[in-house]
């Protein structure tokens, strides 16, 4: 990725026909570090999900739904970046995923499911890719997880 960005930066600075693409290359360069973290966390999420499935612990339906929502958020981000549009829908999908993870935690998960929930909370990196500053991204994630937790009744069923 870094080699491709380096080549693209050189191309848009030297080739007059490509100067109009400078903004796109700069945008990709700004988000490269956050995207690396998103990729790393996605791998961790996949590993933790596989372990949770292997040990047959309690997996509330909201937990796999949360993983799916996070995947949807990544897909929305990809589409927005390719089209050169702002990634507005990504924010809501990330919040939805974290709310579902909060609901799953409140419904009851074992330590393996808890690891998946914790990994889902690292979705703040995905918000940072969209331009959200770290403090705001972390606050949004905490609020979404709390909202999800509070949406579950004391008997463990969603409201």
């Amino acid at each position: 990725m870094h080699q491709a960005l380096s080549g693209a930066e050189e191309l848009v600075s030297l080739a007059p026909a490509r100067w109009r693409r400078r903004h796109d290359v700069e945008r990709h360069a700004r988000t490269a570090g956050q995207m690396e973290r998103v990729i790393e966390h996605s791998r961790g999420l996949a590993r933790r999900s596989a372990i949770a499935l292997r040990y047959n612990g309690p997996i509330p339906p909201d937990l796999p739904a949360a993983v799916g929502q996070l995947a949807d958020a990544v897909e929305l981000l990809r589409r927005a970046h390719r089209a050169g549009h702002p990634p507005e829908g990504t924010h809501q999908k990330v919040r939805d995923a974290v709310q579902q993870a909060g609901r799953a935690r409140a419904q009851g998960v074992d330590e393996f499911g808890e690891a998946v929930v914790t990994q889902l909370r690292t979705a703040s990196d995905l918000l940072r890719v969209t331009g959200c500053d770290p403090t705001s991204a972390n606050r949004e994630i905490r609020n979404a997880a709390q909202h999800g937790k509070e949406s579950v009744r004391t008997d463990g069923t969603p409201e």
Side-chain angles (χ1 to χ4, degrees):
M1 182 170 61
H2 292 289
Q3 288 176 344
L5 276 171
S6 178
E9 287 171 340
E10 184 176 343
L11 182 65
V12 298
S13 67
L14 297 176
R18 301 285 186 214
W19 286 350
R20 61 182 167 76
R21 301 300 304 248
R22 282 183 183 167
H23 177 71
D24 293 335
V25 173
E26 289 168 0
R27 181 171 42 92
H28 287 297
R30 279 192 310 271
T31 63
Q34 286 93 359
M35 281 306 298
E36 284 179 3
R37 284 193 292 279
V38 168
I39 292 166
E40 182 179 320
H41 291 303
S42 296
R43 288 180 183 147
L45 179 59
R47 281 191 305 274
R48 284 169 174 74
S49 296
I51 290 169
L53 290 170
R54 185 177 316 135
Y55 288 101
N56 279 336
I59 299 177
D62 280 312
L63 192 54
V67 174
Q69 288 280 354
L70 193 63
D72 292 345
V74 171
E75 177 60 20
L76 280 172
L77 179 65
R78 183 189 71 81
R79 287 182 190 165
H81 267 275
R82 286 195 89 142
H85 296 226
E88 294 158 353
T90 302
H91 280 252
Q92 187 58 49
K93 283 289 186 188
V94 168
R95 284 191 295 271
D96 292 347
V98 175
Q99 283 179 5
Q100 284 183 310
R103 279 196 298 274
R105 174 181 277 154
Q107 292 166 1
V109 293
D110 63 8
E111 64 271 12
F112 302 114
E114 182 67 30
V116 173
V117 170
T118 300
Q119 194 71 38
L120 279 163
R121 289 190 63 175
T122 62
S124 65
D125 288 325
L126 193 53
L127 292 179
R128 292 178 196 170
V129 171
T130 68
C132 201
D133 68 270
T135 302
S136 297
N138 291 335
R139 183 175 45 250
E140 280 191 53
I141 295 302
R142 279 192 306 275
N143 290 343
Q146 186 63 31
H147 182 71
K149 180 181 174 185
E150 291 170 355
S151 71
V152 175
R153 292 185 230 161
T154 55
D155 65 358
T157 60
E159 290 183 347

